Amino acid sequence: LVGPNADHNVSLPDTEWCWQPSKKVPVFLGCEGCYCGNAIDPVTLKQGLSMYAKVDVLAGCDIASNDTTGFNSASTSASRADVTVIVVGLDSTQEAEGIDRQGVSLPGVQEQFVAHVARKARGAVIVLVMSGSALDLSQIEDNVDVDAVMWMGYAGERAGDAIADAIFGRADGFGRLPFSIYRRE
């Protein structure tokens, strides 16, 4: 399990601002997937996958950084794993009320990170994209070393279990996206 979102609480995009109409201002509430309030029993992706397999976690890179120093440690871990789940995407530093992105690409070095880790992986590679909006995933989709691409929004408190169930075939992962996935070109 590698990537900048690998061990985040998948229901909480780092910090999230929710609109409180009664206060007429955005209020930081620690919103799980912008559900206002606190999750009683949040499950991270690591916790969910750990119900099925031994899970090692390495970030490898940050959401919007250009730092590649973690690539090799993540690749080494992937070279020993039966399956590698690379978790990339956005967080509330990239998308939120009042924050507009300049493009539809993954920020920072995430695309290069996926290519580097997927090339070195021993087993199957699943890329899980966490975001609240459309991203250009063409480089990931076209990568012959990537076996599957999954997208998820900022889900609820049991998202770690739900994703693990979908990956391990205990749940039907079929769904429809609420928007189009664009290519940069």
Side-chain angles (χ1 to χ4, degrees):
L1 184 59
V2 297
N5 280 334
D7 199 28
H8 286 230
N9 180 341
V10 293
S11 63
L12 176 63
D14 276 346
T15 57
E16 185 64 68
W17 291 88
C18 292
W19 182 255
Q20 282 282 305
S22 62
K23 297 185 181 175
K24 306 232 187 279
V25 293
V27 178
F28 176 70
L29 297 170
C31 307
E32 278 75 5
C34 214
Y35 298 113
C36 296
N38 295 316
I40 295 168
D41 190 20
V43 178
T44 66
L45 184 54
K46 177 185 177 183
Q47 291 168 323
L49 290 172
S50 292
M51 297 299 291
Y52 294 99
K54 179 183 177 293
V55 178
D56 294 324
V57 178
L58 289 165
C61 71
D62 291 325
I63 295 283
S65 171
N66 290 321
D67 182 5
T68 62
T69 57
F71 280 28
N72 287 336
S73 59
S75 295
T76 299
S77 180
S79 72
R80 293 185 221 144
D82 293 329
V83 175
T84 300
V85 179
I86 305 172
V87 190
V88 295
L90 304 175
D91 65 12
S92 62
T93 67
Q94 301 297 309
E95 60 180 359
E97 292 296 327
I99 298 175
D100 293 327
R101 291 185 293 133
Q102 299 299 311
V104 293
S105 300
L106 281 167
V109 292
Q110 292 184 73
E111 289 177 347
Q112 297 95 314
F113 178 71
V114 170
H116 185 83
V117 172
R119 184 174 51 253
K120 307 271 183 167
R122 178 178 67 153
V125 174
I126 300 167
V127 177
L128 174 62
V129 181
M130 294 171 49
S131 74
S133 59
L135 290 165
D136 175 14
L137 303 176
S138 57
Q139 285 189 4
I140 295 170
E141 292 170 350
D142 295 342
N143 186 327
V144 296
D145 296 318
V146 172
D147 298 293
V149 179
M150 296 174 69
W151 178 89
M152 68 167 280
Y154 301 123
E157 71 178 335
R158 306 298 301 186
D161 287 335
I163 295 165
D165 287 348
I167 288 173
F168 282 90
R170 292 196 40 140
D172 184 356
F174 180 81
R176 292 189 182 7
L177 293 175
F179 48 77
S180 297
I181 300 289
Y182 301 102
R183 288 185 174 252
R184 274 181 288 251
E185 49 205 46

